[in-house]
């Protein structure tokens, strides 16, 4: 039950972020706001909020693309080995999990949102979202973003294309 | 090598063309909005940039590029809902310019083949001719993306037909990965000889680790295990040298990863 409450909180938090997104922007689009009640003691290496504010978020694409030991192939393999489809029809769309990878290569601050294939907002059954969140949280071979002898936090996301509860593709 | 150099130059040129609006085409507030949007694009993704785009939209609500430019950082961060809201508005205002973007990005960024294909087919219909343009990065002619999407939704013959029509067009210069994708389509259609021919042409145009990998798969099917292993060795060497399909934002369609090459090598050794 506690797990589901946590998930609902993640969605509510994200949907509030969505509604505010077009009116009030973060320092940089893509930034995830740290919320103690969701993110606990996840260690971030930068100063948050940054002072002075940085206009650009450190993102995977500025780091030469997705950096995971074994690349997307290893991610797909791990996800497909661990995901058990609940075999519910009409559970079709795109589930995105956004998160931060800190300067030690640890992931945290997970946020979820999902869309149908027409890209309208769509909520998947908890049996799917809870599982995928846990699986993504357990991915543990993220590479560290190093630049000029320093390590930095960076944002990453994974989008799962799901058709009738089955994972068909993982992006980006 | 010289050929690849020129293709890269064309990519950069096409990419800049897409980024830069000619503000002299507009008048009054819309011209001003256009000028502000060029300034805002320099700080893409920042709060100040997004606010500048808002001021563009307030000045000229029909200025489609402002919605498009404002949408880009959302796309790059996987924020699909916010991206859709903005890119839909850009498409509504200027479909010929932005269907291309919405279609290709759905296919390349989140593998939404059927929906992306709808956009590209509508673009083709609106344009009225086959030469519907290049992706923003300049790496592909949009007909190639359309053809791959057809394969992904299961219509392999249509995929081959579009690819052939593109490659046989006298105005078209072969792209960096075109024959590779054609080879994969033939392979999926079970036409192994045609697939091999296409892959060989790809290696002559632009040597890729991925192409060697696919040739190895064909050779394995034909029980030519030694030759297949040779191809996998070449795939490995090329992957390590960086002769591979790479993009910072998403993994390429028909890409092969290093671990896949290793897995195939292990499988062949065990035979």
């Amino acid at each position: 039950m506690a797990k589901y409450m946590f998930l609902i909180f993640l969605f509510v938090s994200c949907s509030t972020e969505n509604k505010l997104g077009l009116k009030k922007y973060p320092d940089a689009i893509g930034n995830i706001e740290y919320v103690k009640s969701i993110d606990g003691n996840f260690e971030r290496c930068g100063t948050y909020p940054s002072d002075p504010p940085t206009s650009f978020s450190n993102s995977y694409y500025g780091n030469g693309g997705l950096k995971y030991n074994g690349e997307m192939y290893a991610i797909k393999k791990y996800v497909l080995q661990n995901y058990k489809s609940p075999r519910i029809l009409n559970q079709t769309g795109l589930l995105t999990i956004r998160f931060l990878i800190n300067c030690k290569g640890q992931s945290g601050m997970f946020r979820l949102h999902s869309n149908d294939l027409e890209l309208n907002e769509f909520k998947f059954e908890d049996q799917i979202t809870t599982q995928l969140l846990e699986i993504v949280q357990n991915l543990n071979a993220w590479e560290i973003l190093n630049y000029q002898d320093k390590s930095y936090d960076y944002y990453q996301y994974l989008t799962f294309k799901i058709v009738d509860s089955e994972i068909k593709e993982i992006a980006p | 090598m010289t050929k690849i150099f020129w293709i890269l130059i064309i990519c950069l040129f096409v990419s800049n063309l897409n980024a830069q609006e000619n503000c002299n085409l507009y008048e009054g507030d819309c011209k001003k909005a256009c000028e502000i949007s060029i300034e805002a694009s320099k700080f893409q993704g920042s709060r100040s940039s997004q606010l500048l785009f808002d001021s563009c939209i307030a000045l000229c609500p029909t200025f489609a590029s402002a919605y498009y430019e404002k949408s880009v950082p959302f796309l790059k961060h996987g924020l699909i809902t916010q991206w859709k809201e903005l890119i839909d508005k850009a498409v509504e205002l200027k479909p010929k310019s932005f269907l291309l973007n919405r279609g290709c990005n759905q296919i390349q960024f989140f593998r939404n083949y059927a929906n992306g294909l709808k956009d590209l087919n509508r673009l083709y219909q609106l344009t009225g001719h086959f030469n519907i343009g290049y992706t923003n990065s300049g790496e592909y002619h949009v007909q190639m993306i359309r053809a791959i999407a057809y394969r992904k939704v299961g219509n392999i013959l249509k995929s081959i037909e579009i690819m052939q029509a593109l490659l046989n067009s006298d105005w078209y210069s072969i792209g960096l990965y075109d024959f590779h994708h054609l080879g994969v389509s033939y392979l999926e259609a079970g036409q192994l000889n045609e697939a091999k021919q296409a892959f060989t042409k790809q290696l002559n145009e632009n040597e890729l680790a991925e192409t060697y990998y696919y040739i190895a798969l064909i050779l394995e099917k034909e029980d030519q295990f030694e030759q297949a292993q040779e191809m996998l060795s070449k795939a490995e060497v090329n992957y390590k040298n960086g002769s591979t399909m790479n993009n910072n934002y998403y993994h390429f369609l028909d890409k092969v990863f290093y671990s896949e090459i290793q897995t195939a090598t292990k499988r062949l050794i065990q035979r």
Side-chain angles (χ1 to χ4, degrees):
Chain A
M1 186 62 188
K3 195 186 279 175
Y4 292 130
M5 289 303 290
F6 173 67
L7 205 62
I8 289 165
F9 193 29
L10 280 189
F11 267 110
V12 170
S13 158
C14 201
S15 127
T16 312
E17 182 186 286
N18 289 349
K19 278 174 193 155
L20 291 173
L22 296 177
K23 289 174 188 161
K24 188 181 172 187
Y25 308 107
D27 290 347
I29 299 300
N31 283 3
I32 298 173
E33 191 186 339
Y34 171 81
V35 179
K36 177 85 180 163
S37 54
I38 304 175
D39 304 315
N41 294 322
F42 179 69
E43 186 186 344
R44 293 171 298 159
C45 310
T47 318
Y48 297 90
S50 47
D51 183 27
T54 48
S55 325
F56 299 96
S57 70
N58 284 331
S59 291
Y60 73 100
Y61 58 80
N63 187 21
L66 182 140
K67 295 285 184 200
Y68 191 83
N69 186 18
E71 305 171 280
M72 181 56 94
Y73 180 78
I75 293 178
K76 278 185 187 169
K77 198 174 167 189
Y78 181 79
V79 170
L80 295 177
Q81 274 171 354
N82 288 281
Y83 176 76
K84 305 278 177 274
S85 167
R87 298 175 186 275
I88 310 169
L89 296 179
N90 301 321
Q91 288 296 294
T92 297
L94 303 163
L95 173 69
T96 300
I97 303 179
R98 301 169 59 234
F99 48 97
L100 189 81
I101 295 157
N102 70 13
C103 61
K104 294 176 180 170
Q106 299 158 333
S107 59
M109 296 174 64
F110 297 88
R111 302 291 186 271
L112 285 81
H113 64 262
S114 45
N115 304 78
D116 62 24
L117 295 182
E118 298 289 324
L119 310 188
N120 302 307
E121 285 189 77
F122 170 81
K123 192 177 177 318
F124 281 98
E125 292 287 339
D126 289 341
Q127 287 151 286
I128 294 171
T129 49
T130 312
Q131 256 200 90
L132 279 176
L133 178 64
E134 275 182 13
I135 289 169
V136 172
Q137 284 172 330
N138 288 334
L139 289 168
N140 60 5
W142 295 104
E143 292 178 17
I144 294 169
L145 167 60
N146 292 310
Y147 180 67
Q148 291 184 340
D149 299 329
K150 272 190 169 180
S151 301
Y152 295 89
D153 300 339
Y154 67 98
Y155 293 104
Q156 180 65 58
Y157 75 87
L158 292 173
T159 295
F160 299 89
K161 182 180 173 185
I162 299 167
V163 176
D164 290 334
S165 301
E166 305 286 339
I167 296 171
K168 297 292 179 189
E169 300 263 0
I170 306 178
Chain B
M1 192 62 193
T2 320
K3 193 167 185 179
I4 294 171
F5 172 77
W6 282 111
I7 288 172
L8 290 172
I9 293 291
I10 291 167
C11 286
L12 279 174
F13 180 68
V14 171
S15 158
N16 280 334
L17 272 182
N18 273 294
Q20 192 85 15
E21 274 268 354
N22 178 2
C23 294
N24 290 324
L25 296 173
Y26 301 93
E27 287 178 348
D29 280 349
C30 289
K31 186 175 183 186
K32 203 172 174 189
C34 176
E35 286 161 356
I36 295 171
S37 84
I38 289 175
E39 196 53 33
S41 301
K42 292 176 187 166
F43 312 99
Q44 190 193 73
S46 66
R47 178 191 286 131
S48 57
S49 169
Q50 296 299 97
L51 290 170
L52 277 178
F53 285 127
D54 285 346
S55 64
C56 294
I57 291 165
L59 270 173
C60 181
T62 56
F63 183 57
S65 290
Y67 298 96
Y68 160 68
E69 292 289 352
K70 194 180 163 192
S71 78
V72 175
F74 291 110
L75 173 73
K76 289 178 178 175
H77 287 91
L79 293 160
I80 296 172
T81 305
Q82 293 94 325
W83 175 70
K84 175 191 158 52
E85 190 177 329
L86 291 160
I87 194 69
D88 281 0
K89 190 70 189 169
V91 168
E92 182 192 316
L93 291 167
K94 220 173 170 182
K96 272 193 187 176
S97 298
F98 295 108
L99 276 168
L100 184 155
N101 184 277
R102 193 175 68 182
C104 289
N105 283 331
Q106 285 194 73
I107 293 164
Q108 293 176 293
F109 268 85
F110 30 87
R111 271 46 179 174
N112 201 13
Y113 305 116
N115 218 38
L117 195 50
K118 265 191 230 166
D119 278 343
L120 299 186
N121 284 342
R122 198 176 139 213
L123 173 67
Y124 187 20
Q125 203 177 19
L126 280 176
T127 313
H129 53 78
F130 194 69
N131 189 1
I132 53 177
Y134 289 82
T135 57
N136 277 14
S137 59
E139 281 157 339
Y140 284 106
H141 193 277
V142 176
Q143 290 291 3
M144 185 54 69
I145 298 291
R146 189 170 158 255
I148 298 169
Y150 264 113
R151 186 212 308 145
K152 294 287 187 179
V153 298
N155 195 341
I156 302 176
L157 294 182
K158 180 84 177 170
S159 161
I160 294 171
E161 181 192 311
I162 296 169
M163 287 181 188
Q164 287 290 17
L166 178 67
L167 297 169
N168 291 330
S169 299
D170 50 10
W171 47 265
Y172 183 64
S173 296
I174 304 299
L176 288 170
Y177 316 115
D178 288 352
F179 282 113
H180 177 73
H181 295 299
L182 177 66
V184 176
S185 287
Y186 274 128
L187 180 59
E188 289 196 14
Q191 296 176 244
L192 302 191
N193 285 334
E194 287 81 356
K196 259 197 241 178
Q197 281 170 22
F199 288 136
T200 306
K201 284 182 186 171
Q202 176 63 46
L203 295 177
N204 291 333
E205 289 286 333
N206 178 23
E207 204 175 6
L208 289 172
E210 285 84 353
T211 306
Y212 282 116
Y213 171 85
Y214 276 106
I215 295 175
L217 291 190
I218 297 174
L219 292 169
E220 188 183 3
K221 273 178 195 264
E222 295 172 340
D223 293 337
Q224 298 184 60
F225 303 123
E226 258 180 53
Q227 291 94 322
Q229 273 194 32
E230 238 174 77
M231 289 297 127
L232 288 175
S233 301
K234 286 190 176 180
E236 200 168 329
V237 169
N238 274 276
Y239 208 97
K240 284 180 180 167
N241 288 345
S243 300
T244 179
M245 301 165 87
N246 268 331
N247 183 303
N248 286 359
Y249 295 103
Y250 47 79
H251 65 282
F252 270 103
L253 299 155
D254 298 334
K255 179 172 174 56
V256 174
F257 296 99
Y258 189 69
S259 312
E260 276 178 290
I261 299 168
Q262 287 179 313
T263 306
T265 305
K266 277 181 203 158
R267 188 178 63 234
L268 277 171
I269 290 170
Q270 283 165 2
R271 292 191 79 124

